[in-house]
Amino acid sequence: MSLLKLTEVTMNFGGLTALKSFNLELAPGEIVGLSGPNGAGKTTVFNVITGVYEPSHGQIFFMEQEITGMRPDLITKAGIARTFQNIRLFKGLSVMENVLIAHHLHLKANYLAAMLKLPGYRREEREMRERSLALLERVGLADLRDEQAGALPYGMQRRLEIARALATNPKLLLLDEPAAGMNPKEAEDLTAFIKEIQTEFDLTIFLIEHHMDVVMNISELIYVLDYGMTIAGGKPAEVQNNQRVIEAYLGVNEDVED
Amino acid sequence: MAEQKRRNQILTTVSILLLLGFIYFAENYLDLYIVRILNVCAIYAILGMSMNLINGFTGLFSLGHAGFMAVGAYTTALLTMPPAVKQQIFYLTPLIKPLDQMNLAFPLALLVGGLLTALVGSMIAAPVLRLKGDYLAIATLGFAEIIRVVFTNTQSITNGALGLKGIPALTNLWWSFGTAAFTLVVLLSLINSSYGRALKAIREDETAAEAMGINLAKHKTLSFVTGAFFAGIGGGLLGNLLGTIDPKMFSFMFTFNILLIVVLGGMGSLTGSIISAFIVTFANEYLRFLDESINLGFFVLRGKVGMRSVVFSATLMFVVLFYRHGLMGSKEFSWDRLLASRVCQRMQGCFKKRLLKGGYDQ
C-alpha cells in the first residue's frame, strides 16, 4: 500500500511548465529525498501535494483517497504537514502559541463554547497545552516557550517549524530544505533529529534538500528534478553517479559534443 | 506570584467599584454635556474594540464599520420608537406594516440590532473576504456606501434622507459602560481562546495558517461577523443617545474616526482601543476652539471649520510613521506593567519619601 501517490502530475503557469508528468509513490515509513538545481520545480511538488496549487493535469492520492485540488487545510487535516523553505512561523506570537495554533484543527469545541470557556473547551485547551509543552520539550524549546518566535535564532526557528508541523499530528511530513543556511555541524544534528522524529512519531518523510550530504545520508530513495522533469530516481549511490544528474548540477561540456 | 495575583484582584475589584461609583455620580450630578461625552466615549470604545477584532487581530483591513453601525442604529431606533412618533415622522411614505406597531424593550432591541448586523455581515463576508489587503478595504468601503445609499432610498423603512427623529433617549451611562464592559469581556475571552489564536495566526501569515489546518474562510467570517455584531450594538446605543439619525451620518468619516481610535490605541490591543476612544472623544470636544476664531491680541486667526479633523489626520499620520505600535502595541493592560512603569515607580518613590519625612517631623 502506498501512503502518497502522484500520477502524471503536471503544473503549468501560463506558458511555463513548472512540473511535467511527475510520478511518485511513497510507502509508509520511508524517508525520500527530492533534489535538483534551483528552479527545477521542487517546491512546486510540495505546493501541489499540499493543495496550494491545483495541478493542471494528473491525480494525487493520499492513503488511497484522492486529494487533488482539495483545500490546504483539509489536506493538513487528512495528515500531511509541511515546513517552508523560507521559514514561515507566526513571528509575532510566542513559541508556545505557534505550536498551540497547530493543534487548533483537532479542536472539537465550537466557537461559542470557546468564547464562553465551557468545561468541554477548558479540558481540550488543557490537553492542547500539555501536548504542546511535551512537543516543545522534545525539540528542546520548552524553556523558550514564552519567547517571540521571530526572535529565536535561525536553527531554533527551523526546529520550531518542525515541532509546529508535528503538532498537526501528521502521517506524512514534508520538509522543504530543512538544512538551508546551516553549517555542516548543524546539518548533521538536523539529520539525526529528523531520523529520530521519524521513528518516534511513526512518520513518512519527504524532503527537499540541496545539501547533497544530508540527502545522501538520510534518504532511502532520491528523486532528482530538472526543468520540471524527473531526470533520475533511485538509491542515493546510484543517483550520485547518474550522468544526467551531474550534468544538471554542473552543466554539459559542449566542446566535447560530436 | 500568588501575592501579586491577589493584589491585582484587589486592584481590579476596587477599580470596578470606583467606576460604578463614578457612573452613579456622573448620572446624577454631572452636567448633561459631560455625561453625553462619556456616553460617546464608551460607545466609541465598543466600536473600536469590534473594529480591532477584524483589523487588528485578524489582519483584515476592513473599512465597512459605518455600514454596520447604520444597520444597528436604524434597527434599534425603529424597534424602540413609540408607534405614535413613527406615524408622525414618516409623513411622506408610511412605515411598512409590522414595524410601525413594533415596540421592544431597549436591551432586546439592541440585541436584535446586533444580530441583524451580524446577519448582514455574514452575507457580505463570503464575497468580500476572498479579497486581501487594499482590495478588501475598497470592497468593504463600497459596502458601507451601498448601505448608505440604500438607506437613503428605502423611504418606507428608513424614512430616507429625512432620517429618524425623536428616538427615545434610552442610552445612559449604565447601558453604554455596561455594554462596553460586556464587549471587552467577550472579546478578551475570544482572543485568548484557541479560535483567537487561529485569528492571530491568519494575521501573521495566511499561507502558514492554512498549512496548519486553519479554515481561512470560516475563521475570517467568524471574526467579521462577531465584529459586525458588536458594531451593530454600538450603532444602536449611539442612535438612542443622539435621538436623531440620518444616512449622511454614517459616511466614511465615521469609519475613519474609529480607525483612528484603533490605530492610536494599538492594532491588537482591546484595552488600547478603550483608552484611545476616551482620548480621541475628549480631544474632539476640547479641540473645538480650533474651529473658531482665535484672538492672539495682535492678530486674529480666522477659524476654519474642520481644523480639528486636520489635527486628527496629522496625528494618525504621525502615529503610523513614527509610532506604529500605538499606545499599547498588541499588549493588554495589566497591573503588573502599570506598577512597574517608570512614572509609577517615581510616584511610589515620592510617596515613600513623604512618609519617611512625616515620620521624622514627629
Side-chain angles (χ1 to χ4, degrees):
Chain A
M1 193 200 94
S2 64
L3 185 74
L4 181 77
K5 191 175 167 193
L6 276 72
T7 53
E8 298 292 314
V9 171
T10 299
M11 184 72 226
N12 297 319
F13 295 106
L16 179 83
T17 303
L19 193 64
K20 197 171 180 189
S21 300
F22 183 72
N23 288 298
L24 174 82
E25 206 165 341
L26 295 181
E30 273 185 328
I31 301 186
V32 175
L34 182 63
S35 201
N38 284 328
K42 304 183 295 292
T43 300
T44 305
V45 174
F46 272 26
N47 284 339
V48 165
I49 297 173
T50 54
V52 176
Y53 302 142
E54 188 176 346
S56 317
H57 300 288
Q59 288 168 301
I60 305 165
F61 298 91
F62 181 64
M63 301 200 298
E64 315 286 312
Q65 298 280 317
E66 180 161 6
I67 58 162
T68 325
M70 244 164 75
R71 247 182 19 226
D73 56 294
L74 294 176
I75 292 177
T76 308
K77 212 169 188 174
I80 302 179
R82 74 175 292 183
T83 65
F84 294 88
Q85 188 176 350
N86 41 349
I87 307 176
R88 299 189 85 133
L89 289 170
F90 306 120
K91 291 198 178 69
L93 305 181
S94 75
V95 169
M96 184 71 170
E97 279 176 311
N98 267 273
V99 183
L100 281 170
I101 284 163
H103 278 113
H104 182 68
L105 80 166
H106 297 301
L107 188 76
K108 288 187 201 73
N110 66 29
Y111 189 57
L112 284 177
M115 204 147 52
L116 300 171
K117 299 223 172 2
L118 297 182
Y121 168 75
R122 282 183 191 213
R123 200 192 56 240
E124 278 191 280
E125 170 85 17
R126 202 167 49 237
E127 283 167 6
M128 279 200 281
R129 283 187 181 275
E130 278 164 16
R131 268 182 306 190
S132 302
L133 199 58
L135 256 177
L136 286 177
E137 253 156 32
R138 177 61 196 82
V139 300
L141 292 172
D143 295 339
L144 300 167
R145 60 177 171 267
D146 294 325
E147 296 293 317
Q148 220 182 18
L152 292 184
Y154 185 79
M156 289 190 180
Q157 290 199 12
R158 284 263 174 226
R159 272 177 184 247
L160 177 56
E161 215 190 10
I162 293 176
R164 189 181 67 172
L166 289 175
T168 64
N169 203 10
K171 295 185 182 66
L172 172 64
L173 182 60
L174 309 179
L175 301 173
D176 199 343
E177 301 209 22
M182 288 188 173
N183 63 35
K185 173 73 179 73
E186 287 171 329
E188 206 173 289
D189 289 348
L190 184 85
T191 314
F193 175 68
I194 291 174
K195 276 187 177 162
E196 279 167 31
I197 59 166
Q198 193 254 337
T199 38
E200 215 176 303
F201 294 88
D202 197 18
L203 294 169
T204 307
I205 293 177
F206 187 36
L207 81 161
I208 294 177
E209 195 46 77
H210 262 318
H211 275 239
M212 263 313 179
D213 32 341
V214 174
V215 183
M216 295 294 164
N217 203 333
I218 203 172
S219 326
E220 290 145 33
L221 281 174
I222 296 177
Y223 291 85
V224 183
L225 284 177
D226 193 23
Y227 293 110
M229 295 210 274
T230 316
I231 54 168
K235 296 240 156 47
E238 293 165 23
V239 171
Q240 203 168 18
N241 296 316
N242 184 307
Q243 191 56 39
R244 290 184 66 188
V245 174
I246 295 167
E247 281 172 8
Y249 271 96
L250 301 176
V252 188
N253 189 344
E254 307 212 339
D255 297 341
V256 186
E257 276 175 31
D258 297 316
Chain B
M1 275 309 263
E3 202 180 304
Q4 228 169 22
K5 207 171 173 187
R6 217 180 125 67
R7 180 201 69 196
N8 291 349
Q9 272 171 354
I10 293 170
L11 282 171
T12 308
T13 318
V14 170
S15 317
I16 291 173
L17 288 175
L18 279 177
L19 182 66
L20 289 176
F22 173 72
I23 294 174
Y24 178 80
F25 171 76
E27 266 297 335
N28 292 294
Y29 302 104
L30 283 182
D31 71 272
L32 284 174
Y33 175 61
I34 296 283
V35 171
R36 190 182 164 109
I37 297 175
L38 285 171
N39 268 314
V40 173
C41 284
I43 294 169
Y44 271 31
I46 298 168
L47 297 169
M49 284 188 278
S50 69
M51 193 181 202
N52 211 337
L53 176 70
I54 302 174
N55 293 37
F57 286 97
T58 324
L60 302 169
F61 192 40
S62 160
L63 296 177
H65 241 58
F68 293 146
M69 284 184 261
V71 175
Y74 271 91
T75 311
T76 312
L78 283 171
L79 289 175
T80 49
M81 282 161 75
V85 177
K86 286 185 204 172
Q87 215 170 14
Q88 194 189 345
I89 66 159
F90 280 82
Y91 57 83
L92 278 181
T93 331
L95 185 59
I96 51 162
K97 230 0 168 188
L99 265 179
D100 61 350
Q101 294 303 326
M102 256 193 205
N103 200 336
L104 296 181
F106 189 43
L108 208 59
L110 277 177
L111 188 66
V112 174
L115 289 175
L116 196 69
T117 315
L119 184 73
V120 172
S122 68
M123 285 193 307
I124 68 154
V128 161
L129 293 181
R130 289 162 171 269
L131 306 170
K132 284 177 193 167
D134 313 351
Y135 299 100
L136 176 66
I138 293 165
T140 46
L141 191 61
F143 152 75
E145 286 299 298
I146 289 170
I147 292 275
R148 205 165 59 81
V149 173
V150 167
F151 279 21
T152 315
N153 290 292
T154 44
Q155 196 76 36
S156 57
I157 303 174
T158 61
N159 207 21
L162 295 171
L164 299 180
K165 289 177 196 70
I167 306 167
L170 295 169
T171 304
N172 57 27
L173 288 175
W174 297 110
W175 279 116
S176 58
F177 276 73
T179 313
F182 173 74
T183 311
L184 176 68
V185 170
V186 169
L187 292 185
L188 263 183
S189 156
L190 166 64
I191 57 164
N192 288 325
S193 77
S194 190
Y195 284 90
R197 284 194 296 266
L199 299 185
K200 287 186 240 172
I202 293 173
R203 172 189 72 195
E204 294 285 316
D205 189 330
E206 243 184 77
T207 312
E210 200 175 24
M212 289 304 115
I214 292 168
N215 183 340
L216 293 183
K218 179 184 156 194
H219 285 85
K220 283 182 179 179
T221 306
L222 281 176
S223 157
F224 200 67
V225 170
T226 311
F229 175 76
F230 286 108
I233 289 185
L237 286 168
L238 193 66
N240 284 57
L241 174 73
L242 301 178
T244 43
I245 48 174
D246 64 72
K248 270 205 304 290
M249 220 179 100
F250 300 98
S251 66
F252 175 64
M253 267 317 287
F254 211 144
T255 305
F256 174 80
N257 281 339
I258 311 296
L259 187 67
L260 175 76
I261 288 171
V262 172
V263 173
L264 197 67
M267 303 272 272
S269 171
L270 294 175
T271 38
S273 291
I274 297 180
I275 296 168
S276 78
F278 279 78
I279 293 176
V280 169
T281 312
F282 271 98
N284 207 4
E285 290 303 321
Y286 289 105
L287 290 177
R288 266 185 200 284
F289 70 88
L290 288 175
D291 287 4
E292 290 151 15
S293 299
I294 302 168
N295 193 344
L296 293 175
F298 55 94
F299 183 70
V300 177
L301 274 174
R302 281 268 222 70
K304 272 265 188 297
V305 177
M307 268 308 278
R308 277 181 302 162
S309 313
V310 176
V311 171
F312 283 119
S313 305
T315 312
L316 184 64
M317 264 200 270
F318 178 80
V319 169
V320 168
L321 284 175
F322 302 110
Y323 203 66
R324 200 163 290 176
H325 292 297
L327 285 170
M328 302 283 284
S330 57
K331 296 192 175 70
E332 295 297 344
F333 171 84
S334 87
W335 289 112
D336 295 337
R337 209 162 330 104
L338 180 71
L339 293 176
S341 69
R342 224 181 303 159
V343 181
C344 215
Q345 291 285 359
R346 194 166 296 170
M347 271 165 61
Q348 282 174 353
C350 281
F351 194 59
K352 275 179 192 153
K353 232 185 253 167
R354 278 272 168 81
L355 275 182
L356 276 177
K357 250 192 194 160
Y360 282 126
D361 284 347
Q362 286 170 359

